[in-house]
Amino acid sequence: MATTVADILKANNLSITDSRKSILELFKLSKGALAHADIEKKSSAQFDRVTIYRTLQTFVDKGIIHTIPTADNSVLYALCKDDCSAGHHHDNHVHFICDSCDTTYCLDHVTIPSVNLPEGFTQKQTDVVVSGVCKNCE
Amino acid sequence: MATTVADILKANNLSITDSRKSILELFKLSKGALAHADIEKKSSAQFDRVTIYRTLQTFVDKGIIHTIPTADNSVLYALCKDDCSAGHHHDNHVHFICDSCDTTYCLDHVTIPSVNLPEGFTQKQTDVVVSGVCKNCE
DNA sequence: AGTAATGTGCAACAAAGTTGCAAATTATTT
DNA sequence: AAATAATTTGCAACTTTGTTGCACATTACT
Ligand SMILES: [Mn+2]
Ligand SMILES: [Mn+2]
Ligand SMILES: [Zn+2]
Ligand SMILES: [Zn+2]
């Protein structure tokens, strides 16, 4: 019994609506991370820009998706596969951006390496974004 | 004989103008990275928004400053201290963002750890952004 | 089915970034 | 040191991206 998108919404105390179902479905079907613009294009039904913004924000708040920092400072989102919850993300994995096909992957099994900070600096969170060529493009 | 901002501009074949001198000076005096908005505020003389955009882009192109990816996807810039040149950045250092004072540091002496990518993925560049509390705020 | 709670779309707005072009500044040549 | 050529600046106009308030629609609850 695979978890449906409705299950996920229910588990997070979110009303089950068309837009949330469609957008969450998109994430489940997508190989890589999605930007706001991708969702506007890919979703068969047409949702208002504002609805998409709010849906994404809600999903981030609930720990359903996480944002990914990129070198060109575009905003990307991907499903949380770790056990994230409202207010507590712990997506401690490396992200990979393919220079060729532009897909952004969550490398869920590549853990964040530890970093030796100078005296006086305390680490709380570490983001690692690697770019290069992905396995489909090599 | 310290290198003046004019020297840096000259070395990069850039005309020595008021805005470029002021903005470059700002970077030299600043402890941390600067956003476009910081420059608009901090520069004593008032420059047009467009001039600031273009100056920053020129400096990035010439390898004088580099951009820093951030979790909240704001665009930050900092001086390149490594031997970067036009078209060839190699700022292989860790960046640190203080959650308390919001300063972003280039940790020039903390080298990027290596990451074990899955089969088929080729690494070209790695960005590491650590957040936490800096030495001034602890 | 009826009511309360929540979410959506629209409109209007704000912020961020881009482009073309004339005027001003800087560099180069005489 | 002028004159000229090359580059840069500021303005205006525009695009793109993101935000907010509110009436209406949908979903959840009794
Ligand atoms: Mn991820
Ligand atoms: Mn740096
Ligand atoms: Zn690829
Ligand atoms: Zn600090």
Side-chain angles (χ1 to χ4, degrees):
Chain A
M1 35 108 220
T3 13
T4 66
V5 289
D7 291 336
I8 297 174
L9 294 173
K10 211 173 295 177
N12 284 282
N13 289 312
L14 291 174
S15 305
I16 297 170
T17 67
D18 289 344
S19 41
R20 286 176 181 166
K21 277 189 288 183
S22 300
I23 293 173
L24 193 44
E25 197 75 59
L26 267 185
F27 277 107
K28 293 200 88 175
L29 296 176
S30 171
K31 229 204 291 270
L34 297 173
H36 181 276
D38 297 326
I39 294 167
E40 251 182 308
K41 284 174 214 142
K42 290 193 184 180
S43 61
S44 42
Q46 224 59 351
F47 302 112
D48 194 84
R49 261 163 19 91
V50 178
T51 301
I52 297 175
Y53 279 117
R54 291 198 269 226
T55 301
L56 290 171
Q57 190 51 56
T58 302
F59 286 177
V60 170
D61 290 344
K62 289 291 186 177
I64 299 172
I65 62 177
H66 61 277
T67 57
I68 302 172
T70 62
D72 71 331
N73 289 92
S74 60
V75 189
L76 292 178
Y77 302 88
L79 280 183
C80 293
K81 284 159 198 159
D82 308 278
D83 51 341
C84 296
S85 59
H88 287 284
H89 280 271
H90 13 70
D91 307 275
N92 296 318
H93 55 266
V94 169
H95 291 112
F96 185 94
I97 304 179
C98 178
D99 294 328
S100 172
C101 68
D102 218 53
T103 306
T104 298
Y105 300 83
C106 291
L107 301 181
D108 298 288
H109 300 299
V110 180
T111 48
I112 298 285
S114 71
V115 178
N116 272 338
L117 297 177
E119 274 289 309
F121 287 83
T122 317
Q123 164 179 8
K124 198 169 187 183
Q125 221 227 313
T126 304
D127 280 296
V128 177
V129 180
V130 180
S131 62
V133 181
C134 81
K135 70 163 177 279
N136 291 330
C137 293
E138 63 164 350
Chain B
M1 36 106 223
T3 13
T4 67
V5 290
D7 291 336
I8 297 175
L9 294 174
K10 211 172 294 177
N12 284 281
N13 288 313
L14 292 173
S15 306
I16 297 169
T17 67
D18 289 344
S19 41
R20 285 176 181 165
K21 276 189 288 184
S22 300
I23 293 173
L24 192 45
E25 197 74 60
L26 268 185
F27 277 106
K28 291 200 92 175
L29 296 175
S30 171
K31 226 204 294 268
L34 298 172
H36 181 276
D38 297 326
I39 293 167
E40 251 181 308
K41 284 174 215 142
K42 291 193 184 181
S43 61
S44 42
Q46 224 59 352
F47 302 110
D48 193 85
R49 262 165 16 91
V50 179
T51 301
I52 297 175
Y53 280 117
R54 291 197 270 226
T55 302
L56 290 171
Q57 190 52 56
T58 302
F59 286 177
V60 169
D61 291 344
K62 289 291 187 176
I64 298 172
I65 62 178
H66 61 276
T67 57
I68 301 172
T70 63
D72 72 329
N73 290 94
S74 59
V75 188
L76 292 178
Y77 302 86
L79 279 184
C80 294
K81 284 158 199 159
D82 308 279
D83 52 340
C84 296
S85 59
H88 287 285
H89 279 270
H90 14 70
D91 305 276
N92 295 317
H93 55 267
V94 170
H95 291 111
F96 185 94
I97 304 179
C98 179
D99 295 327
S100 173
C101 68
D102 218 55
T103 307
T104 297
Y105 301 83
C106 292
L107 301 180
D108 298 290
H109 299 299
V110 180
T111 47
I112 297 286
S114 72
V115 177
N116 272 337
L117 298 176
E119 273 289 310
F121 287 82
T122 318
Q123 166 180 6
K124 198 169 185 183
Q125 222 228 311
T126 304
D127 280 298
V128 177
V129 181
V130 179
S131 63
V133 181
C134 82
K135 71 163 176 282
N136 290 329
C137 293
E138 62 163 349

